[in-house]
Amino acid sequence: MAVMDMSGPRRSDFDENGFVVARGLFTGAEIDELCAEFAALHAAGPVPGHFEPRATPASGPADPLDAHPRVMHPHRINELSLRRLLDPRLREILEALLGEEVLAAQSMFYFKPPGARGQALHQDNFYLRVEPGTCVAAWIACDVIDRENGGLEVVPGTHRMDLFCPEEADAEVSFVREYVPPPPGLATVPVDMAPGDVLFFNGSLVHGSGPNRSADRFRRSFIGHYVGRSTDRIGRHYATLTMGGEPVVLSESEGAGPCGTEFAPVAPH
């Protein structure tokens, strides 16, 4: 695994593998603050367009994601999320990896409770449709993350390839429809992480996660997507900001959409 030496970000590793991990970029106190913020958001109830839990039957939820869906674009409604998205530590590494000024395009928060399905292997730029080039993700671990609770897997080498046409995912293990199988000769690599670690990866890198099979462990994560200042076009679902928070209007690209087309809710058993 490509683990970043924080004394000097290694763009060569990022270019070679499509991803790097910055260990301990955020402190335990910062991660606790972020988790508490989203626990409060969850307790306060729905936020239309951002956080929309589904009603559950009296017998209990059919799907753990009914009560704990992902939060989309929390930086538009939450000041702490905006600060995390625009954090100077992320900016420093992102600009070293991309070799240019970066713009923030999206944020998300995943709760991924025990029993939740994962997100099948996919490519982020299939949704953002950044042109020219691609996007880059900064994926912040908020829990101990491993294979048991549905940690990320990546397919090194796919970041050099074009966007693939996805197949239909298995709805038993993925909450989104799109699935990109590893190309012949390439395989998934698990990325285990600790709270405060950040995984940076290329928007063309095939990656995803399996279900959370743990009995009692969440797999929470805060994710930002970024693009280089040389970007001309992006999907209409994304509104770019400088890392100082100023809006930057880009032309709209075609074929874009939200990050993952979700399956219909799971019916009660």
Side-chain angles (χ1 to χ4, degrees):
M1 183 187 302
V3 179
M4 182 178 294
D5 174 5
M6 292 313 299
S7 64
R10 296 180 59 177
R11 181 174 174 178
S12 60
D13 286 343
F14 184 77
D15 291 342
E16 175 66 23
N17 299 306
F19 71 102
V20 288
V21 180
R23 299 292 184 191
L25 190 63
F26 291 94
T27 67
E30 289 173 320
I31 296 301
D32 289 346
E33 180 187 26
L34 193 60
C35 289
E37 192 81 359
F38 280 95
L41 184 150
H42 179 271
V47 183
H50 297 276
F51 175 65
E52 303 186 57
R54 293 182 284 268
T56 58
S59 58
D63 181 348
L65 295 178
D66 288 349
H68 287 91
R70 57 186 175 170
V71 186
M72 304 298 291
H73 297 293
H75 71 280
R76 297 179 182 175
I77 58 171
N78 180 273
E79 192 272 338
L80 178 60
S81 297
L82 179 62
R83 283 196 281 119
R84 284 290 169 266
L85 180 69
L86 304 180
D87 192 279
R89 289 164 289 187
L90 297 177
R91 176 179 185 170
E92 180 181 2
I93 294 173
L94 287 161
E95 293 187 350
L97 296 177
L98 271 69
E100 63 173 321
E101 181 185 351
V102 295
L103 306 175
Q106 181 189 34
S107 63
M108 296 187 291
F109 186 87
Y110 283 72
F111 293 98
K112 198 166 187 180
R117 291 172 291 169
Q119 184 169 1
L121 293 171
H122 62 283
Q123 295 167 293
D124 288 347
N125 205 41
F126 178 80
Y127 308 108
L128 277 74
R129 299 287 173 157
V130 174
E131 300 173 9
T134 188
C135 55
V136 174
W139 202 98
I140 304 172
C142 297
D143 291 296
V144 172
I145 291 175
D146 51 37
R147 276 156 278 190
E148 183 188 41
N149 68 347
L152 277 188
E153 299 179 328
V154 299
V155 185
T158 50
H159 64 295
R160 302 191 196 92
M161 301 179 179
D162 293 332
L163 295 179
F164 296 97
C165 183
E167 301 176 3
E168 180 91 348
D170 180 353
E172 292 294 317
V173 296
S174 174
F175 75 93
V176 299
R177 292 181 174 275
E178 294 84 14
Y179 168 60
V180 175
L186 300 179
T188 57
V189 173
V191 184
D192 292 347
M193 301 173 69
D197 292 350
V198 183
L199 172 67
F200 296 86
F201 59 92
N202 183 294
S204 294
L205 184 76
V206 174
H207 67 286
S209 66
N212 183 344
R213 302 189 187 280
S214 71
D216 56 4
R217 294 195 296 136
F218 277 68
R219 193 227 65 180
R220 293 167 295 182
S221 55
F222 182 89
I223 303 102
H225 285 105
Y226 304 85
V227 301
R229 190 63 190 250
S230 59
T231 297
D232 292 330
R233 296 173 296 282
I234 194 170
R236 64 180 177 84
H237 300 275
Y238 311 94
T240 48
L241 303 170
T242 69
M243 295 300 280
E246 297 300 319
V248 177
V249 178
L250 300 178
S251 298
E252 181 180 334
S253 57
E254 297 181 359
C259 279
T261 308
E262 299 190 20
F263 284 106
V266 175
H269 296 296

